[in-house]
Amino acid sequence: MPIAVAIVEDNKDLRVGTEYVLKSSPAFEVVGAFENAEDLIYRFDDIKPEVVLMDIELPGISGIEATSILKKEHQHLQIVILSVFEDDENVFQAICAGACGYISKPVMPNQIAEVVEQAFSGASPMSPHIARKVLEMFKQHLPPPRADYNLTAREVEVLDMLIQGYDNKMIAEKMFLSAYTIRAHIRNIYEKLHVHSKSQAVAKALKERLVNKK
């Protein structure tokens, strides 16, 4: 079965050219070519595209807003942005809205078919410099490293032994420290981890891999 493709492009020459390229191959069926996103949204259930080639700057709602609207209703729809805009803000918003790919204009005719096939197969077609932008942006938006609670090396050692099931006396013997010192370390561990018992400390250490981080 040919891939059902819809095109949203307000530039008539680009829209007609893209449609011509896709129609020239039996691998694709152009189910709609629109100059604005509203018409695609209105007719979506009638034409049921599998891949949408979407411009950003459109009369009416933008391609990014249209992408967000369509993806909320049709999660399996693949939308590729084709745009002259290459700034971080547009790229980031488009990806967050649900676009699976982002290609800089102008798009070569032989590239259009490849972009559609990649999107349909589950890949993320992107111009190389856009892909680099996306990687950099996601690096910047990574969550901060998990807190280590400022445990000292000795406290981590005690915590590791608690995880292994040692009691205070056994820990003191293995570390050649007094029981009083071990109790002090354990009190500090509880305070830093915001827990109130050995079991809570062990559970938190295992969940957050606190010992393995040292």
Side-chain angles (χ1 to χ4, degrees):
M1 294 291 291
I3 302 170
V5 185
I7 303 162
V8 184
E9 170 62 66
D10 63 330
N11 183 304
K12 183 178 179 180
D13 291 338
L14 291 178
R15 185 172 69 252
V16 171
T18 302
E19 185 175 8
Y20 175 80
V21 170
L22 293 175
K23 281 185 173 181
S24 66
S25 170
F28 311 105
E29 179 187 3
V30 179
V31 294
F34 308 96
E35 65 177 350
N36 62 71
E38 288 91 338
D39 287 346
L40 169 62
I41 293 170
Y42 178 74
R43 293 200 53 205
F44 189 92
D45 289 336
D46 296 326
I47 61 176
K48 295 181 172 59
E50 296 165 299
V51 176
V52 174
L53 302 178
M54 180 83 71
D55 189 17
I56 284 183
E57 192 171 54
L58 297 165
I61 65 173
S62 72
I64 292 175
E65 186 178 354
T67 296
S68 180
I69 292 170
L70 288 167
K71 288 295 290 185
K72 286 177 182 176
E73 295 294 326
H74 312 282
Q75 296 182 5
H76 299 294
L77 175 66
Q78 305 301 316
I79 302 176
V80 180
I81 300 295
L82 307 182
S83 177
V84 296
F85 297 110
E86 300 177 352
D87 57 287
D88 291 356
E89 185 67 19
N90 274 303
V91 173
F92 185 72
Q93 287 189 5
I95 299 302
C96 288
C100 71
Y102 199 112
I103 302 295
S104 299
K105 290 180 181 177
V107 185
M108 301 302 293
N110 63 329
Q111 188 182 9
I112 294 173
E114 184 179 353
V115 165
V116 172
E117 288 174 341
Q118 288 178 350
F120 181 74
S121 66
S124 298
M126 291 189 188
S127 301
H129 59 288
I130 296 295
R132 285 194 294 271
K133 276 181 177 286
V134 171
L135 287 174
E136 289 302 318
M137 284 187 288
F138 276 96
K139 285 180 185 177
Q140 294 170 15
H141 288 80
L142 283 174
R146 189 153 34 201
D148 62 7
Y149 303 99
N150 296 315
L151 294 173
T152 66
R154 185 55 62 89
E155 288 164 355
V156 170
E157 191 175 356
V158 171
L159 184 56
D160 186 27
M161 292 188 186
L162 290 176
I163 292 171
Q164 295 178 58
Y166 293 113
D167 61 25
N168 291 13
K169 182 180 178 182
M170 294 168 66
I171 295 173
E173 291 174 352
K174 289 186 70 68
M175 296 182 70
F176 303 103
L177 296 172
S178 69
Y180 174 83
T181 301
I182 296 303
R183 286 197 297 272
H185 282 316
I186 291 175
R187 282 197 301 271
N188 289 338
I189 291 170
Y190 288 179
E191 182 177 347
K192 290 180 178 181
L193 297 187
H194 308 292
V195 297
H196 304 287
S197 68
K198 183 185 296 185
S199 60
Q200 289 178 346
V202 169
K204 192 162 191 174
L206 290 173
K207 181 179 180 182
E208 302 194 20
R209 302 186 300 277
L210 298 179
V211 172
N212 292 337
K213 291 171 67 177
K214 292 292 182 180

